[in-house]
Amino acid sequence: MSQQDPGPTALTVSDVQQLLKKKDEIEAQIKAYYAVLEDQKGVGMNEPLVDVEGYPRADVDIYQVRTARHNIICLQNDHKALMHQVEQALHQLHAREKEKRERDEAEAQVEARSQSQALPQPFARVNAVTPGSPASISGLQVDDEIVEFGSVNTRNFQSLQNIVTVLQHSEGKPLSVTVIRRGEELHLGLTPRRWSGKGLLGCNILPLQR
């Protein structure tokens, strides 16, 4: 088994092209030998080379016809074997390409899964941010998923009241906020404060149903 393994792995598109080139050469040779038979009074592969009395025909070159017939048979056998080789080679190339594609897809899935597993679970999502607000200045964006808001995280979050409580105790003080944005974990610094708009943040947050 180990002696056969290097075959498929070593096979390349160039190898197949070489086999196809050889096939074309054999077909050209067969065609040339058939032309020889055609020149000999149109003698084919099966016509008799003796006359009715059993003597060698005088109107054809017996040796040339026999040589041409022999070479055609040999070349046709070579052609058949070569076509089998080409078919196997193409199957190997396609199988290897399919295997590579499946392996790449599997690796991509594993990588995506490991990345999603590595990210903490969010508990809320930002669905509106007012320009010029403390939230906007901190870099918070719509569709950011919140995994940590000050002391509130996935493990202790119960309702939006948890965030309101943190805000009331943190006015004018910087808060650490961690969000997931487009599959990446980002850490932002947010300082809740009075501003020209409503509230201390200037954004709307919705709890996630997980």
Side-chain angles (χ1 to χ4, degrees):
M1 186 69 185
S2 60
Q3 291 178 341
Q4 295 174 357
D5 290 342
T9 50
L11 194 69
T12 64
V13 175
S14 176
D15 293 330
V16 176
Q17 288 172 340
Q18 287 297 322
L19 290 174
L20 292 173
K21 185 181 175 186
K22 194 173 177 184
K23 174 190 81 77
D24 291 341
E25 289 171 357
I26 289 175
E27 287 173 355
Q29 288 177 325
I30 291 173
K31 188 177 178 182
Y33 282 119
Y34 268 116
V36 169
L37 295 181
E38 188 63 35
D39 288 343
Q40 294 294 322
K41 306 291 183 184
V43 172
M45 292 295 289
N46 302 309
E47 283 77 11
L49 297 180
V50 293
D51 58 23
V52 289
E53 295 179 5
Y55 292 103
R57 286 174 56 176
D59 60 335
V60 296
D61 186 329
I62 304 293
Y63 175 78
Q64 201 172 32
V65 170
R66 282 179 174 161
T67 301
R69 285 178 173 179
H70 172 75
N71 287 339
I72 286 171
I73 291 168
C74 291
L75 287 167
Q76 283 176 337
N77 288 335
D78 290 346
H79 186 269
K80 187 178 177 182
L82 192 63
M83 288 308 294
H84 180 65
Q85 215 175 334
V86 168
E87 189 180 344
Q88 281 190 320
L90 289 173
H91 277 316
Q92 286 172 10
L93 280 180
H94 290 155
R96 199 159 74 235
E97 187 60 36
K98 184 185 176 188
E99 185 185 336
K100 181 181 182 297
R101 191 167 60 247
E102 288 173 350
R103 190 168 61 244
D104 289 346
E105 286 173 3
E107 285 175 0
Q109 286 175 0
V110 169
E111 189 176 345
R113 214 162 30 238
S114 66
Q115 283 182 351
S116 64
Q117 287 170 352
L119 292 172
Q121 284 295 313
F123 59 82
R125 180 176 67 83
V126 178
N127 76 329
V129 177
T130 307
S133 65
S136 173
I137 292 167
S138 76
L140 214 55
Q141 294 181 10
V142 173
D143 287 334
D144 280 354
E145 294 186 325
I146 301 171
V147 295
E148 193 174 57
F149 194 97
S151 59
V152 182
N153 55 44
T154 305
R155 290 184 298 279
N156 60 24
F157 175 78
Q158 293 174 329
S159 70
L160 289 179
Q161 185 57 44
N162 298 130
I163 292 178
V164 172
T165 303
V166 168
L167 286 173
Q168 289 171 347
H169 288 89
S170 305
E171 186 177 346
K173 301 172 187 173
L175 273 177
S176 174
V177 178
T178 303
V179 300
I180 294 173
R181 182 183 301 163
R182 291 188 287 277
E184 288 186 28
E185 189 176 344
L186 301 174
H187 302 282
L188 308 173
L190 170 63
T191 303
R193 59 178 174 78
R194 303 283 169 188
W195 62 294
S196 57
K198 186 181 173 185
L200 299 173
L201 279 183
C203 73
N204 195 42
I205 296 172
L206 296 176
L208 288 174
Q209 302 300 324
R210 294 292 169 102

